Amino acid sequence: VIGAVVLAWLFGRMLASNVRSAVKVANEVAGGKLDGHIDATGKDEIGELLQALKRMQQDLRERTERDAAVAAENLRIRTALDNSSTGMYIADLDYTIVYANPSMQGIVDKYADQIHSVAPAFDSSMPLVGSSLTVLEHGNLLDTRTLAAIEAKGVTEREMAYGHARIAQIISSIRDAHGSHVGFVCESRDRTLEYQVEQEVAKIVQAAAAGDLSGRVATDGKDGFFLQLAQQLNGLLDANAGSLEQISTLLSALSQGDLTVRMHGEFSGVF
């Protein structure tokens, strides 16, 4: 009898010890400790429980590593978008803006008054994220032609006119791994200066074609290509205006019989 009692006591103590070990492992896994050693060599019910905990630990560790890799990749993409010089926003299927990078916020801040003039619901004091896409649309109404083009081709381009501002946009459909449409991404580029130069050059060229060579492209506020274009066009107009003025003076003198008048300067080509 005493032997049986001792065996029962030893068995109960061993069982309690195994249960405490299993509880400790379960608590460690629940607390996120997924690198601990689990001795699952036992063949009894406690051993089976520890084996199940070990499998769960491995599965959770692999899943955590996968999630960490995806999170790191998403962070890289988010950082790239945040630092892009092109304005970007993303909208969901309910046409709610869920992301806007600093460049996009800079565009709407810069042209807030012009945007409000054609989209009265736009409020520059409200953040873009969480707002309806319609706050940036003319009349605060969705452009059905743009939506139809995206539906048909997956991408479309357009130019938004906000007062004197011009914003070139490329809008693409966002699709998941199964090809289902889940939202929109819009790239916005401020081409206001480009548009103004186009209008300015067109006006001067039209005047020159009509015989008025007095027009010049303003160089203030321009740099890079636009400054070079203005300087080259102004130089062309200066050269032609000066040469034509001397030719006009010469022909006028010749018509009056004065053969002493001469053209002065360096000339090339037809001049």
Side-chain angles (χ1 to χ4, degrees), residues 25-213:
V25 169
N27 286 332
E28 289 179 347
V29 172
K33 189 176 187 303
L34 304 176
D35 56 354
H37 174 69
I38 299 177
D39 183 4
T41 58
K43 302 300 182 181
D44 55 7
E45 287 81 358
I46 300 298
E48 292 178 359
L49 174 61
L50 290 173
Q51 290 173 8
L53 287 173
K54 186 173 183 178
R55 289 194 299 271
M56 182 175 69
Q57 181 195 55
Q58 292 173 342
D59 291 343
L60 287 174
R61 183 167 59 242
E62 292 173 358
R63 185 181 304 172
T64 300
E65 290 172 351
R66 289 195 301 270
D67 291 345
V70 171
E73 180 66 20
N74 288 339
L75 178 61
R76 285 194 291 270
I77 295 172
R78 174 64 180 262
T79 301
L81 291 175
D82 283 347
N83 289 279
S84 173
S85 60
T86 300
M88 306 277 291
Y89 70 75
I90 297 173
D92 61 19
L93 290 178
D94 294 325
Y95 308 113
T96 299
I97 298 174
V98 297
Y99 169 80
N101 69 353
S103 294
M104 186 66 208
Q105 189 64 55
I107 290 174
V108 298
D109 288 344
K110 183 178 181 179
Y111 300 114
D113 292 339
Q114 288 81 3
I115 295 174
H116 181 73
S117 69
V118 298
F122 173 74
D123 184 353
S124 60
S125 66
M126 299 295 293
L128 278 179
V129 176
S131 298
S132 170
L133 189 58
T134 57
V135 299
L136 298 176
E137 296 292 312
H138 285 191
N140 299 121
L141 298 173
L142 291 172
D143 185 349
T144 55
R145 290 179 299 179
T146 297
L147 295 176
I150 295 173
E151 181 68 26
K153 302 177 182 177
V155 62
T156 189
E157 298 183 24
R158 68 177 183 177
E159 182 167 291
M160 294 295 288
Y162 299 117
H164 70 267
R166 294 296 184 275
I167 309 299
Q169 294 183 334
I170 301 176
I171 308 173
S172 305
S173 170
I174 301 174
R175 299 188 180 275
D176 61 17
H178 304 291
S180 300
H181 177 58
V182 295
F184 309 88
V185 57
C186 177
E187 306 169 52
S188 298
R189 180 176 64 86
D190 181 6
R191 63 175 301 271
T192 302
L193 178 59
E194 181 181 335
Y195 172 78
Q196 291 172 347
V197 171
E198 289 173 357
Q199 298 300 306
E200 196 173 3
V201 169
K203 180 179 179 180
I204 291 173
V205 169
Q206 290 174 358
D212 180 5
L213 301 180

